């Protein structure tokens, strides 16, 4: 005789919890995927998804039916047979993996627990809020996966040039992901401030500042610790309590960041060594000629004293600006003050790549530097969109977790959080193409046939050896001297084949 229709929530842990009206309930954790075989033979089953649990309405007969539920076997048996028998995630009978099993959709699609629903007042837009932030975290994980791969390649003493295309592809992937994340804010903006207020009260101390992956991403890209804005006057490490998260953060700080690795890589740029291409001397001479032609001579020819004074002031400003990179002591002082981050030699390498980007040797490196700037720009845009969304939603209210909300976030979109600011500022020191000394054929051959062992030796000894080789570089048909010692450049045969290469190895940037 049908006596009742009790509701069972079948639990893989077999825990029995009293429900309202005295009905015994069993909680089924669908993330682990275990359920009860007894339900399989039940004809009246209605699954109702509620947060991460699945509730089954079971029609039973007899008062003792609540005590007759038995498990579907041991965990080992479940693992052998595949996913939850009550779900769609189990493998097919022929043993092939299913879409649901491969993507773990049973757990993934049921991990949106709305805090408002747990408090008995479900707010529709909270579901969007959760989905969006979970999507962010998944993409953060992919970005970390790509960055770690690139860092591993750069960690080698000499980067295998055959891996350069892989690096470009992975960095471009990070750029495209960040573009997606920047645009994702538009979806959140479909939620009104009043709708957000309906469930914000249930978030308690939960805050985006507690995102472990975002902190790891910042550290691995190369955000400086001393540049960070403190959160509630404390270090962000204090937000995390579990040992695993703290250890991951410490590791990300102790290991070389992508910025540090790129800086070392730039220091090895072929052409910086005096034995291959006296780039810095030639570049300095070219700058001097350009400043004279573009600023000094026009000022000297000006008859109007007031305008002449203005033109001379412009000339001196330009000269001082370039002197800040040519004078090593001045440059290093700027590094000490935090105004620059690249080492002086790394900066030279970046300038060489930027000026000679049309040369095959420097085409891919230039693309890589461009992608690094794109990543920096998109991170800034992401922060900015976040700030605008917060201001739209809560105005100047205190943020969750006790932060100052909008005021705190606004402070993170300044240059202090940019990693590759030095690359952006390279444009300050570009000169017109007509003044860029062209590479001779001999130089091009030497750059493409550099012995890797020799290049490493040059890199370690470049400050201790004086280059005795003399080269002729022409600019608009006029031979340039070395610009440093004032020695005249003798007539070397730049098209000759005087160099011997004991072991020819394609050099890897």
């Amino acid at each position: 005789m049908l006596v009742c229709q009790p509701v069972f929530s079948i639990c893989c842990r077999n825990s029995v919890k009293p429900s309202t009206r005295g009905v015994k309930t069993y909680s089924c954790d669908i993330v682990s995927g275990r359920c009860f075989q007894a339900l399989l033979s039940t004809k009246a089953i209605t699954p109702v998804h509620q947060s991460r649990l699945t509730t089954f309405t079971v029609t039973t007969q007899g008062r003792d039916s609540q005590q007759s539920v038995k498990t579907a076997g041991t965990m080992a048996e479940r693992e052998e047979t595949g996913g939850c028998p009550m779900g769609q995630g189990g493998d097919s009978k022929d043993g092939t993996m299913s879409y649901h099993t491969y993507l773990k959709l049973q757990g993934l699609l049921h991990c949106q627990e709305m805090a408002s629903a747990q408090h008995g007042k479900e707010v529709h837009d909270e579901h969007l809020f959760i989905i969006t932030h979970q999507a962010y975290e998944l993409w953060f994980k992919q970005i970390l996966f790509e960055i770690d791969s690139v860092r591993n390649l750069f960690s080698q003493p000499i980067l295998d040039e055959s891996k350069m295309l892989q690096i470009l592809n992975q960095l471009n992937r990070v750029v495209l992901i960040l573009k997606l994340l920047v645009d994702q804010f538009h979806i959140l903006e479909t939620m009104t401030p009043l709708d957000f207020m309906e469930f914000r009260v249930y978030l308690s101390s939960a805050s985006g500042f507690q995102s472990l992956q975002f902190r790891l991403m910042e550290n691995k890209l190369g955000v400086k610790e001393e540049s960070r804005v403190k959160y509630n006057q404390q270090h962000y490490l204090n937000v995390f309590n579990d040992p695993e998260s703290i250890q991951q953060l410490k590791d990300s700080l102790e290991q070389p960041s992508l910025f540090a690795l790129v800086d070392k890589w730039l220091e090895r740029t072929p052409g910086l060594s005096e034995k291959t291409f006296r780039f810095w001397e030639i570049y300095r001479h070219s700058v001097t000629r350009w400043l004279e032609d573009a600023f000094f001579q026009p000022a000297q020819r000006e008859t109007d004293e007031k305008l002449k004074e203005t033109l001379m002031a412009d000339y001196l400003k330009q000269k001082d600006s370039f002197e800040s990179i040519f004078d090593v002591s001045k440059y290093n002082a700027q590094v000490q003050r935090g105004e620059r981050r690249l080492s002086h030699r790394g900066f030279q390498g970046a300038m060489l790549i930027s000026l000679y980007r049309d040369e095959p040797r420097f085409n891919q490196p230039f693309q890589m530097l461009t992608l690094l700037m794109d990543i920096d720009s998109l991170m800034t845009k992401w922060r900015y969109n976040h700030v605008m969304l917060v201001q739209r939603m809560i105005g100047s209210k205190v943020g969750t977790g006790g932060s100052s909300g909008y005021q705190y976030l606004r402070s993170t979109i300044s240059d202090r959080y940019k990693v590759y600011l030095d690359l952006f500022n390279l444009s300050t020191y570009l000169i017109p193409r007509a003044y860029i000394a062209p590479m001779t054929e001999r130089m091009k051959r030497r750059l493409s046939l550099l012995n890797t062992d020799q290049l490493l030796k040059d890199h370690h000894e470049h400050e201790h050896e004086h280059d005795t080789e003399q080269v002729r570089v022409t600019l608009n048909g006029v031979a340039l001297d070395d610009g440093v010692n004032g020695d005249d450049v003798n007539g070397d045969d730049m098209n000759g084949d005087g160099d011997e290469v004991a072991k020819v190895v394609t050099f890897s940037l």
Side-chain angles (χ1 to χ4, degrees):
M1 177 175 126
L2 184 62
V3 294
C4 64
Q5 291 185 335
V7 174
F8 288 84
S9 293
I10 308 303
C11 176
C12 62
R13 295 180 296 274
N14 301 335
S15 61
V16 180
K17 294 185 271 187
S19 67
T20 57
R21 300 182 182 178
V23 179
K24 293 181 179 179
T25 61
Y26 298 78
S27 302
C28 177
D29 187 343
I30 67 165
V31 174
S32 66
R34 285 189 286 178
C35 64
F36 288 80
Q37 187 66 39
L39 289 180
L40 295 179
S41 59
T42 305
K43 297 181 179 180
I45 298 178
T46 304
V48 180
H49 298 297
Q50 182 177 357
S51 75
R52 66 196 294 263
L53 305 178
T54 296
T55 300
F56 299 94
T57 302
V58 184
T59 302
T60 61
Q61 293 184 350
R63 294 173 177 167
D64 297 331
S65 60
Q66 294 177 352
Q67 311 300 327
S68 64
V69 180
K70 296 183 179 180
T71 63
T74 65
M75 171 63 96
E77 293 172 336
R78 183 192 66 80
E79 290 178 346
E80 291 176 0
T81 57
C84 176
M86 294 304 300
Q88 301 175 354
D91 294 341
S92 60
K93 293 182 179 180
D94 60 2
T96 59
M97 181 179 291
S98 72
Y99 176 83
H100 285 74
T101 301
Y102 177 68
L103 296 179
K104 311 294 185 187
L105 293 183
Q106 293 175 358
L108 181 64
L109 299 181
H110 295 85
C111 60
Q112 292 77 41
E113 296 184 23
M114 292 192 286
S116 58
Q118 295 176 1
H119 286 79
K121 188 180 179 181
E122 182 176 308
V123 179
H124 179 85
D125 280 6
E126 186 184 358
H127 193 271
L128 171 67
F129 188 79
I130 294 173
I131 288 286
T132 303
H133 284 79
Q134 288 177 341
Y136 272 128
E137 290 296 332
L138 286 173
W139 283 123
F140 289 163
K141 184 174 184 177
Q142 184 63 36
I143 290 175
L144 287 170
F145 188 70
E146 304 296 347
I147 292 175
D148 284 341
S149 175
V150 173
R151 287 169 64 232
N152 182 58
L153 293 173
F154 271 111
S155 297
Q156 307 305 315
I158 289 293
L159 179 62
D160 185 356
E161 191 172 358
S162 65
K163 301 294 185 182
M164 200 63 190
L165 189 60
Q166 176 184 338
I167 291 174
L168 291 176
N169 184 53
Q170 291 178 333
L171 290 179
N172 185 57
R173 184 176 297 163
V174 172
V175 167
L176 294 177
I177 293 173
L178 286 172
K179 287 182 178 179
L180 178 66
L181 299 187
V182 168
D183 289 340
Q184 195 164 287
F185 280 104
H186 297 318
I187 302 175
L188 272 180
E189 288 172 352
T190 63
M191 178 177 61
T192 68
L194 193 59
D195 294 330
F196 180 54
M197 185 179 293
E198 289 295 309
F199 65 86
R200 183 174 183 257
V201 64
Y202 302 121
L203 300 182
S204 184
S205 60
S207 170
F209 190 85
Q210 299 160 349
S211 172
L212 171 66
Q213 292 193 121
F214 192 77
R215 299 301 164 209
L216 291 174
M217 194 163 62
E218 289 179 324
N219 291 345
K220 292 184 178 185
L221 284 174
V223 173
K224 293 169 60 177
E225 280 296 284
E226 56 268 29
S227 297
R228 290 184 178 276
V229 179
K230 289 188 176 181
Y231 178 78
N232 288 345
Q233 301 304 312
Q234 62 178 337
H235 194 277
Y236 69 91
L237 271 173
N238 297 332
V239 174
F240 302 93
N241 300 316
D242 60 297
E244 182 179 356
S245 296
I246 295 175
Q247 188 59 48
Q248 288 185 60
L249 288 168
K250 288 183 177 179
D251 290 342
S252 68
L253 292 172
E254 295 170 359
Q255 297 168 357
S257 67
L258 181 58
F259 174 86
L261 294 169
V262 169
D263 189 20
K264 293 297 182 183
W265 170 77
L266 286 171
E267 291 178 351
R268 303 193 298 267
T269 302
L272 290 183
S273 171
E274 294 181 353
K275 292 185 177 182
T276 57
F277 179 37
R278 302 164 73 173
F279 162 71
W280 201 239
E281 298 174 10
I282 295 170
Y283 169 65
R284 184 170 187 172
H285 190 101
S286 299
V287 168
T288 301
R289 288 175 59 86
W290 174 63
L291 290 177
E292 184 173 337
D293 293 347
F295 296 93
F296 182 75
Q297 291 299 334
Q300 292 299 307
R301 292 192 297 266
E302 182 57 51
T303 57
D304 187 312
E305 289 299 324
K306 188 174 182 179
L307 183 56
K308 181 177 183 177
E309 184 180 346
T310 301
L311 292 176
M312 281 300 297
D314 290 342
Y315 166 72
L316 293 175
K317 286 180 181 178
Q318 290 285 346
K319 186 178 179 180
D320 289 344
S321 176
F322 279 96
E323 192 62 27
S324 69
I325 63 172
F326 291 135
D327 189 318
V328 179
S329 60
K330 289 183 179 180
Y331 186 94
N332 290 336
Q334 290 176 318
V335 173
Q336 291 296 322
R337 294 195 299 268
E339 297 173 10
R340 298 186 187 276
R341 293 193 60 185
L342 286 174
S343 66
H344 190 245
R345 190 166 176 84
F347 181 86
Q348 292 179 34
M351 280 302 307
L352 174 57
I353 291 171
S354 298
L355 290 171
Y356 293 93
R357 62 188 181 187
D358 294 331
E359 296 294 334
R361 166 58 61 191
F362 302 119
N363 185 262
Q364 286 187 334
F366 177 76
Q367 292 182 50
M368 195 205 72
L369 296 184
T370 301
L371 288 172
L372 292 175
M373 288 188 287
D374 289 342
I375 291 174
D376 230 0
S377 295
L378 288 165
M379 288 290 289
T380 302
K381 290 178 181 178
W382 189 92
R383 296 178 195 276
Y384 178 80
N385 282 6
H386 187 202
V387 170
M388 293 297 99
L389 179 69
V390 168
Q391 188 179 38
R392 175 196 293 256
M393 293 297 168
I394 66 172
S396 298
K397 289 187 179 74
V398 175
T400 53
S403 74
S404 58
Y406 168 74
Q407 298 299 329
Y408 163 75
L409 292 173
R410 189 177 65 174
S411 65
T412 66
I413 58 177
S414 62
D415 285 351
R416 65 192 301 163
Y417 274 84
K418 286 183 180 177
V419 178
Y420 299 98
L421 189 60
D422 288 340
L423 298 183
F424 287 90
N425 289 334
L426 289 177
S427 299
T428 307
Y429 308 103
L430 294 180
I431 58 178
R433 286 181 183 272
Y435 288 86
I436 300 175
M439 288 187 179
T440 64
E441 291 302 318
R442 183 183 181 188
M443 291 178 185
K444 292 179 181 179
R445 284 201 306 274
R446 294 186 68 182
L447 288 176
S448 61
L449 298 176
L450 278 174
N451 182 307
T452 54
D453 296 333
Q454 183 61 47
L455 186 85
L456 279 176
K457 181 180 179 181
D458 291 347
H459 172 64
H460 293 310
E461 299 179 356
H462 77 278
E463 293 182 347
H464 307 287
E465 293 186 25
H466 177 72
D467 179 34
T468 58
E469 179 190 25
Q470 293 179 322
V471 297
R472 177 177 295 277
V473 181
T474 61
L475 179 62
N476 296 333
V478 180
L480 303 180
D481 58 24
D482 61 9
V484 174
N485 298 322
D487 298 332
D488 291 334
V489 178
N490 296 324
D492 274 351
D493 178 13
M494 299 308 295
N495 295 321
D497 297 322
D499 290 345
E500 284 189 7
V501 180
K503 182 176 70 171
V504 176
V505 181
T506 300
F507 174 73
S508 303
L509 281 174

